[in-house]
Amino acid sequence: MIKIGLVGEDPNDTTSVKLLLLKKFGKSVQFQTLLKNAYGYQLDNPKAIRIMQFQFKDAKCKFIIYIRDLDGFATEKQKVAEKQNWFYQLDKAANNKGILLLNIWELEALILADIETFNRLYKSSIRFKGDPTKQKEPKEFLAYNTRNNQKKYRESDCPEIFEKLSLETVSKNCPYFKEFVSAFDKKLKSNN
């Protein structure tokens, strides 16, 4: 079993991604959350890099998955470059062994990629077709569309939702996640 570190902007993000990836890779991986007390832009702090480096070695991880939200569209090259530079800086401390999951807009784009599962959980009838990376502010979109429901969407619901999402459906409907899963699979194979 390969131990993989997870670094994200929020524990909900790391837990959610872990639950989704375990569906396909659960028999071959064990995830270890690093930088548990760093949120959002605290990950940009040089102190976070030193702590992550220590935790990476201490946990004996083979590599790290870095999870960040772009908070913009993929066409916003400046934002993409900033997040990639962040990734390169942090990954240097882990011997350049990481992989970046850059969520276009937010993690919630992955929920839009399997909207039927979300609809079943929230007893809603949101219609969403197409590329979830084209939806501005998907978190707000989900909250708005469940505002009159008995169960309203909240960010803290992500782990519960991601546990139910179909990895295959999300990969099929979300291009950046499909690329990430492919890169993750290759990285696993090269570390066996």
Side-chain angles (χ1 to χ4, degrees):
M1 188 162 288
I2 298 172
K3 191 180 273 190
I4 300 162
L6 292 171
V7 172
E9 296 180 14
D10 184 280
N12 282 326
D13 293 5
T14 53
T15 301
S16 299
V17 170
K18 174 176 96 172
L19 290 169
L20 189 56
L21 291 175
L22 284 173
K23 293 172 188 240
K24 180 174 182 177
F25 303 103
K27 293 180 180 166
S28 59
V29 300
Q30 177 185 359
F31 292 105
Q32 174 73 42
T33 301
L34 309 175
L35 294 175
K36 291 179 186 175
N37 297 321
Y39 292 85
Y41 286 95
Q42 292 175 337
L43 293 173
D44 299 330
N45 186 325
K47 183 179 177 184
I49 295 172
R50 290 190 300 277
I51 294 169
M52 189 273 313
Q53 184 178 29
F54 172 76
Q55 290 178 351
F56 173 73
K57 288 178 184 171
D58 192 49
K60 296 181 174 72
C61 297
K62 288 288 188 181
F63 62 92
I64 298 174
I65 296 172
Y66 301 90
I67 306 161
R68 285 301 292 262
D69 292 344
L70 182 61
D71 297 320
F73 293 112
T75 54
E76 295 180 61
K77 301 298 181 197
Q78 176 74 25
K79 285 185 176 184
V80 172
E82 287 171 9
K83 298 299 185 199
Q84 286 176 333
N85 286 336
W86 167 84
F87 163 68
Y88 295 134
Q89 290 300 312
L90 205 56
D91 198 40
K92 262 193 246 179
N95 302 323
N96 298 311
K97 293 186 177 186
I99 184 171
L100 176 64
L101 172 55
L102 181 59
N103 295 302
I104 305 305
W105 272 103
E106 300 156 327
L107 185 70
E108 284 80 1
L110 300 178
I111 296 171
L112 294 179
D114 186 6
I115 197 66
E116 292 308 317
T117 296
F118 179 84
N119 283 336
R120 278 194 304 277
L121 292 169
Y122 284 78
K123 297 181 178 33
S124 58
S125 56
I126 300 170
R127 293 180 184 253
F128 188 86
K129 299 266 188 228
D131 185 348
T133 67
K134 306 291 188 220
Q135 176 61 50
K136 183 177 181 179
E137 299 176 339
K139 182 187 321 172
E140 289 80 358
F141 176 82
L142 293 171
Y144 179 80
N145 282 286
T146 59
R147 72 192 181 286
N148 296 323
N149 292 20
Q150 185 174 357
K151 184 174 183 177
K152 295 162 183 37
Y153 172 74
R154 290 180 191 80
E155 258 184 281
S156 59
D157 297 344
C158 278
E160 174 191 344
I161 297 165
F162 275 68
E163 190 171 25
K164 306 285 188 226
L165 293 178
S166 162
L167 182 94
E168 292 76 22
T169 302
V170 172
S171 295
K172 182 179 113 189
N173 294 327
C174 188
Y176 77 82
F177 191 72
K178 182 177 183 175
E179 287 177 27
F180 166 77
V181 170
S182 176
F184 179 65
D185 194 32
K186 287 178 190 167
K187 198 140 194 72
L188 280 180
K189 288 176 181 166
S190 71
N191 279 283
N192 269 338

